[in-house]
Amino acid sequence: MSDIWVVGIPILLVDVVSPVLLAATAFALTGSRPIANSCALILGHTIAYFVMGVLIVYGLAELLAPVVDFVVTGFVNPTRINFVIGFLLGLVLLGLASRVSTSAEMEKQSARSEASQQKEGVLPSVVMGATLCIVGMPFAVPYLGFINEMFRFNVQSKPLGLLVYNLFYALPYFLIPVAYAVTGKAIVDRLSALNQFISTTAAWLVPLLFGVLGLAFIVDAIKYFLTGSGLV
């Protein structure tokens, strides 16, 4: 299973930068029992993330198998229909590039609204963490990418792969309450500044990545229809 981490670690590094979870953790540190509540929030998110991954692996694997086989065959031996789909996918990605900033902002506002309504206590914090995870799953593209890589690398124990991934995903966030215990409330202001930086960067970086990928698909398809071969 070690081979998958060649691509799994870069995916994890992208996935772990979550402005929503970071903002919710910072908010949990401002209430009573800040360490317990923030740890409970992260734990709830981690458990839900793992469970959702297991459900995707075992609940959708058979349903998605024909699609995955078609995509893999298309990469190995692409035909005209693959380039038509690639061209359409490129248009979709360009459309997403123009809308993703708005979607991200709506998600952040939703997270702030839910956090502001959060009840005090460990159990409500666990529920809040799980809720944030479930609401954000449609945007969990890196996580879905890691699951796809587990199938591509033919990982035998996929639950173990998901467990390791989720433990390393949660580790930086569990270090936040530890830092709070050491430095006190000063860490809250630093988290707020870091979250603002991440949010601002993601606002232009993510649309840029979608746009570049979309253009690559479109140029690849156009080159195929003009010359008979794609970019690769």
Side-chain angles (χ1 to χ4, degrees), residues 158-181:
K158 295 179 178 64
L160 178 59
L162 289 171
L163 179 62
V164 173
Y165 183 97
N166 277 275
L167 288 176
F168 278 103
Y169 179 94
L171 179 60
Y173 292 98
F174 276 116
L175 292 177
I176 294 174
V178 174
Y180 180 91

Side-chain angles (χ1 to χ4, degrees), residues 11-93:
I11 291 174
L12 177 62
L13 291 176
V14 173
D15 194 18
V16 77
V17 183
S18 171
V20 175
L21 182 56
L22 188 62
T25 303
F27 183 85
L29 290 174
T30 62
S32 62
R33 303 181 65 192
I35 296 177
N37 288 341
S38 58
C39 286
L41 177 88
I42 299 164
L43 180 63
H45 188 281
T46 303
I47 292 174
Y49 214 21
F50 174 74
V51 171
M52 294 297 290
V54 171
L55 290 177
I56 291 171
V57 167
Y58 292 103
L60 299 179
E62 294 185 4
L63 179 64
L64 296 178
V67 178
V68 173
D69 290 340
F70 175 77
V71 172
V72 171
T73 302
F75 276 113
V76 176
N77 187 25
T79 61
R80 179 178 293 270
I81 185 63
N82 294 113
F83 286 99
V84 171
I85 293 174
F87 182 81
L88 295 175
L89 179 59
L91 294 177
V92 171
L93 287 171

Side-chain angles (χ1 to χ4, degrees), residues 88-128:
L88 295 175
L89 179 59
L91 294 177
V92 171
L93 287 171
L94 287 179
L96 285 174
S98 66
R99 298 181 58 123
V100 70
S101 296
T102 303
S103 298
E105 184 61 30
M106 290 174 62
E107 185 184 358
K108 287 189 294 182
Q109 291 177 358
S110 176
R112 294 191 194 104
S113 176
E114 291 178 359
S116 65
Q117 299 174 12
Q118 180 179 351
K119 296 179 180 179
E120 292 288 338
V122 172
L123 183 58
S125 296
V126 171
V127 174
M128 176 56 62

Side-chain angles (χ1 to χ4, degrees), residues 202-223:
W204 63 265
L205 180 60
V206 174
L208 176 63
L209 293 176
F210 276 126
V212 170
L213 186 59
L215 286 174
F217 275 115
I218 292 173
V219 172
D220 185 44
I222 292 175
K223 186 175 183 297

